[in-house]
Amino acid sequence: MSKRDLYEVLNVSRTADQETIKKAFRKLALLYHPDRNPGNKEAEEKFREATSAYEILSDEDKRAAYDRYGMRAFEQGGHSSQTYEFSGTDFSSIFEEMFRDMTGGSSQRPQPQNSRGSDIKYDLEIPLEHIFKESRPEISLRTLVTCDTCDGTGQTDKSVAETCHHCYGSGRQRVQQGFFMMERTCTSCQGTGALIQNPCTTCKGQGRLTKTKKISINIPAGIEEGTRLRIRGEGEAGLRRGTAGDLYVFVSILPHPFFEREGADLFCSVPLPMTKAALGDKIDVPTIEGGKATITVPEGTQSGQHLRLKGKGMPILQRSSRGDLIVEVIVETPQNLTKKQKDILREFDAQSKTKKVSPQSQSFLEKMKRLWA
């Protein structure tokens, strides 16, 4: 028994009402509960001290005796003319509240309900061109589905299942462990609150069995890499007509042979002969919808230069507009030249020394000369 003043233990005044005392104990019990402080002897001692204090102060008669005689009222040979035993205090309601707070449960009494099926995660790989427009790919899943033989009831006939006599139809069992009341799913009825008398021979009374099912997935146009789609009710079937779980589809976009995506814009590298880059030209480039677009290459285009086609990129999710197609020009140096072609290029090079046909390279050479000087 605590040697400290019991009001001090609960951190309340001597004039505190019962509701204040209860709230104070509940706060301390949650703070020093052994389940929250495993192996902590100091917390265990404080929990025991708070429990003892509450057992006295929550009882009007015991509290009156304590206020008059202190702890001597509860010791053998004390001045009180009454005998008090520490077994009458009802901790059930307050420990049930503690359990709900620690587990995040509802404040309502558990109701019988069928067990919900588990959620399913599915990784879907889809080509980039397939998300240019809305699509509905079909996937196959090996999962728990409702039994056709018993229509999910788990029974072979139309009779009503008996109320589970272990949990009395609540689907939950309470287990007393010392002061604590723990709650768990009933192991006899698996949380359904009912016992099957004539189990279905196909599903063995589960109301569900493992099969392969096909599902069409709606993929919105312009969806992003890594998007998670939630499809309600397409997860595992619930136990005996329990609520089905959900299907979570994680979308991964496959690489495209021509395009790289950045948001709603598409990037495409196009090799261009040196002559077309120097003289300018019109060239055809591919588009994501499977066609082609013509783009004008300005005279003197440099390698790495970007040319933009407005509105030729990916659709923007849930909007009518599109991104752009950005063409990166890669100027190709001629290879496998004939003697005549080489002679032409040498003549071109000789004439270029008197004219600024390659301003960047000529500027670079001039900077080097100044550096060396």
Side-chain angles (χ1 to χ4, degrees):
M1 187 67 65
S2 174
K3 295 181 180 180
R4 287 202 296 154
D5 180 79
L6 301 188
Y7 293 98
E8 180 184 340
V9 170
L10 296 183
N11 195 25
V12 296
S13 68
R14 287 187 170 271
T15 58
D17 58 22
Q18 285 299 314
E19 186 62 27
T20 302
I21 290 174
K22 181 178 179 181
K23 288 181 178 179
F25 169 64
R26 183 171 175 271
K27 181 179 179 180
L28 292 173
L30 282 169
L31 181 63
Y32 297 116
H33 191 286
D35 287 351
R36 287 189 168 181
N37 304 274
N40 189 331
K41 297 297 183 183
E42 182 181 356
E44 184 178 340
E45 179 59 32
K46 288 184 177 181
F47 179 79
R48 186 179 297 111
E49 186 181 48
T51 303
S52 299
Y54 178 71
E55 187 171 16
I56 292 176
L57 298 184
S58 63
D59 184 286
E60 295 293 349
D61 292 333
K62 294 177 185 178
R63 181 179 180 182
Y66 176 76
D67 289 344
R68 185 173 183 180
Y69 300 108
M71 292 308 300
R72 291 176 300 166
F74 311 104
E75 297 171 357
Q76 187 174 4
H79 293 81
S80 172
S81 60
Q82 301 183 51
T83 302
Y84 296 97
E85 297 179 359
F86 300 96
S87 59
T89 304
D90 181 13
F91 286 89
S92 61
S93 62
I94 196 167
F95 282 134
E96 284 180 12
E97 291 177 13
M98 285 173 54
F99 174 77
R100 288 193 292 268
D101 283 347
M102 293 172 65
T103 59
S106 168
S107 61
Q108 297 178 353
R109 182 179 178 86
Q111 297 297 318
Q113 57 182 6
N114 293 346
S115 298
R116 181 182 184 275
S118 298
D119 295 331
I120 300 175
K121 176 181 178 292
Y122 185 88
D123 294 318
L124 176 64
E125 293 184 334
I126 188 167
L128 179 64
E129 60 270 24
H130 286 189
I131 60 171
F132 173 70
K133 293 182 179 180
E134 183 178 305
S135 60
R136 295 190 65 87
E138 188 176 73
I139 64 173
S140 294
L141 290 175
R142 184 82 177 163
T143 184
L144 289 169
V145 300
T146 300
C147 176
D148 293 331
T149 305
C150 64
D151 195 25
T153 64
Q155 301 180 138
T156 57
D157 51 34
K158 303 288 185 180
S159 61
V160 179
E162 279 188 9
T163 300
C164 177
H165 56 272
H166 292 279
C167 65
Y168 304 102
S170 71
R172 309 289 291 175
Q173 286 179 318
R174 291 180 178 178
V175 182
Q176 186 84 33
Q177 294 183 353
F179 282 128
F180 312 112
M181 184 74 71
M182 309 302 291
E183 193 175 67
R184 65 189 180 191
T185 301
C186 178
T187 55
S188 297
C189 65
Q190 297 178 300
T192 64
L195 295 176
I196 300 297
Q197 299 303 310
N198 299 304
C200 171
T201 56
T202 304
C203 64
K204 306 297 188 294
Q206 299 294 302
R208 58 184 184 176
L209 65 165
T210 303
K211 282 187 177 181
T212 299
K213 69 175 182 178
K214 293 184 178 181
I215 304 171
S216 291
I217 308 297
N218 182 43
I219 306 295
I223 197 171
E224 296 282 348
E225 167 76 21
T227 296
R228 185 189 72 171
L229 301 175
R230 179 185 183 186
I231 306 172
R232 295 182 182 274
E234 290 294 354
E236 289 186 357
L239 179 68
R240 300 176 199 162
R241 288 187 174 176
T243 305
D246 298 332
L247 171 63
Y248 289 89
V249 178
F250 290 79
V251 179
S252 177
I253 301 172
L254 295 171
H256 194 276
F258 286 113
F259 303 110
E260 290 186 8
R261 184 184 185 187
E262 187 174 309
D265 292 334
L266 292 176
F267 288 80
C268 177
S269 296
V270 177
L272 193 67
M274 181 190 69
T275 53
K276 291 183 180 295
L279 301 174
D281 202 352
K282 292 183 182 292
I283 60 172
D284 291 332
V285 294
T287 58
I288 188 63
E289 54 262 52
K292 63 181 180 179
T294 301
I295 189 170
T296 300
V297 178
E299 182 179 321
T301 294
Q302 302 298 307
S303 188
Q305 187 172 334
H306 286 175
L307 306 176
R308 186 181 295 267
L309 285 171
K310 290 282 188 180
K312 289 294 184 180
M314 292 297 294
I316 300 175
L317 188 64
Q318 296 180 343
R319 291 172 59 182
S320 58
S321 55
R322 291 174 58 178
D324 300 334
L325 172 59
I326 300 169
V327 177
E328 181 184 19
V329 176
I330 307 298
V331 178
E332 187 176 17
T333 302
Q335 300 179 12
N336 304 317
L337 299 176
T338 64
K339 182 179 181 303
K340 184 176 180 180
Q341 288 171 328
K342 291 178 182 179
D343 291 341
I344 293 173
L345 286 178
R346 289 189 184 99
E347 183 180 353
F348 170 78
D349 184 55
Q351 293 180 6
S352 299
K353 292 179 181 179
T354 59
K355 297 181 180 180
K356 294 183 178 181
V357 295
S358 301
Q360 291 185 26
S361 59
Q362 289 176 350
S363 176
F364 181 73
L365 287 173
E366 290 173 359
K367 289 179 182 178
M368 285 198 301
K369 288 177 182 179
R370 288 195 297 270
L371 177 65
W372 293 334

